[in-house]
């Protein structure tokens, strides 16, 4: 074989080998998490909060967006869950310090501080009269109230402004929100980290919370999925 022909043949063999190697790796690669989920809410933005198992109090929160027909990661952060871990949202009981699993819409954002610059999501500013009613006997159960109504006991509610660190910025998670079931739980948010595990919410660093609020677009109908890596509460079930 002439030298030029041999060189061309050698180059072609290298290209073929590289192509085969790439092709061999592709089938083993997992699709992104949203592509493996049963439902993502129908929008083009999604937040996932995944823990290793139901006893976990920490995990990973990732925000995704769908462009060109594919899901891509936009950011991620370490997350904290309830002090008693996670539990199936449909059977959760109030006061158990567990984070409910499931797929939820995100009605609006709120905060003691002003919305981060660039925030496009509906944002409600906390005042000294802002409460979240958790009283099972109240008509305002699992709702923001301002001021606190007479039938919503202060001892059974959160005075939002007193949680200066946690509620600097937050997103309402639509757990038990549209048709509240008494005793299932109220006031489940994505908020800024406190000192440790939460009472049932999901929390991230202040920087991550601000990034999420700047990223979220109401027209893209973002949802949030909470679950575990596997088992009956696997995030891929939702």
């Amino acid at each position: 074989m002439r030298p030029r022909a041999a060189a061309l043949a050698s180059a072609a063999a290298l290209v073929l080998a590289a192509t085969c190697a790439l092709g061999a790796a592709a089938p083993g690669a997992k699709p992104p998490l949203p592509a493996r989920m049963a439902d993502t809410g129908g929008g083009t933005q999604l937040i996932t909060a995944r823990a290793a198992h139901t006893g976990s109090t920490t995990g990973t929160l990732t925000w995704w967006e769908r462009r060109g027909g594919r899901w891509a990661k936009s950011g991620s952060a370490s997350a904290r869950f309830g002090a008693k871990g996670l539990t199936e949202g449909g059977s959760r009981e109030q006061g158990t310090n567990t984070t409910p699993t499931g797929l939820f819409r995100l009605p609006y954002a709120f905060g003691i501080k002003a919305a981060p610059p660039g925030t496009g999501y509906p944002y409600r500013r906390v005042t000294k009269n802002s409460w979240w009613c958790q009283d099972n006997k109240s008509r305002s159960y699992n709702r923001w109230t301002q001021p606190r109504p007479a039938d919503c006991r202060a001892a059974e509610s959160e005075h939002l402004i007193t949680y200066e660190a946690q509620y600097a910025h937050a997103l309402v998670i639509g757990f038990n929100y549209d048709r509240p079931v008494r005793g299932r739980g109220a006031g489940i948010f994505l908020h800024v980290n406190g000192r440790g595990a939460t009472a049932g919410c999901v929390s991230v660093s202040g920087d991550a919370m601000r990034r999420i609020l700047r990223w979220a677009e109401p027209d893209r109908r973002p949802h949030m999925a909470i679950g575990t890596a596997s088992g009956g509460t696997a995030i891929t079930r939702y």
Side-chain angles (χ1 to χ4, degrees):
M1 184 179 291
R2 289 178 295 177
R4 179 176 173 79
L8 290 172
S10 177
L14 288 172
V15 170
L16 179 61
T19 302
C20 290
L22 289 171
K30 281 187 177 181
L33 178 57
R36 291 181 276 126
M37 292 173 57
D39 189 6
T40 57
T44 56
Q45 286 188 328
L46 178 72
I47 300 173
T48 57
R50 182 166 61 169
H53 48 77
T54 54
S56 300
T57 59
T58 60
T60 302
L61 187 129
T62 307
W63 47 108
W64 311 78
E65 56 184 57
R66 189 172 177 84
R67 296 189 184 276
R70 295 185 178 183
W71 286 102
K73 184 187 295 186
S74 294
S76 65
S78 297
R80 296 175 182 173
F81 299 101
K84 298 295 184 181
L86 298 86
T87 192
E88 173 61 47
S91 57
R92 181 182 184 269
E93 294 182 6
Q94 186 165 327
T96 56
N97 288 340
T98 54
T99 297
T101 62
L103 177 68
F104 311 105
R105 69 184 188 92
L106 300 167
Y108 59 91
F110 69 90
I112 294 171
K113 295 183 178 180
T119 298
Y121 218 71
Y123 191 91
R124 191 167 186 178
R125 194 76 181 268
V126 173
T127 75
K128 64 180 181 180
N129 292 319
S130 304
W131 293 76
W132 196 274
C133 184
Q134 299 180 351
D135 190 335
N136 282 283
K137 296 179 180 179
S138 174
R139 290 172 294 178
S140 300
Y141 178 68
N142 202 20
R143 285 292 184 274
W144 176 300
T145 62
Q146 191 166 315
R148 179 176 54 84
D151 73 341
C152 185
R153 293 167 292 171
E156 297 293 327
S157 303
E158 282 193 350
H159 193 194
L160 298 178
I161 205 165
T162 63
Y163 296 87
E164 185 175 355
Q166 294 92 325
Y167 297 159
H169 301 297
L171 268 169
V172 176
I173 299 174
F175 166 72
N176 200 32
Y177 188 80
D178 293 327
R179 296 181 179 178
V181 176
R182 312 288 167 151
R184 184 154 292 168
I188 300 297
F189 312 127
L190 171 61
H191 63 68
V192 178
N193 286 334
R195 293 183 178 179
T198 73
C201 296
V202 180
S203 72
V204 291
S205 70
D207 176 67
M209 195 68 236
R210 290 187 293 271
R211 289 165 60 196
I212 290 166
L213 289 179
R214 288 192 291 264
W215 162 86
E217 300 177 38
D219 291 345
R220 300 184 69 180
R221 295 179 295 156
H223 283 66
M224 182 167 177
I226 305 171
T228 54
S230 60
T233 54
I235 199 167
T236 51
R237 291 182 56 242
Y238 302 112

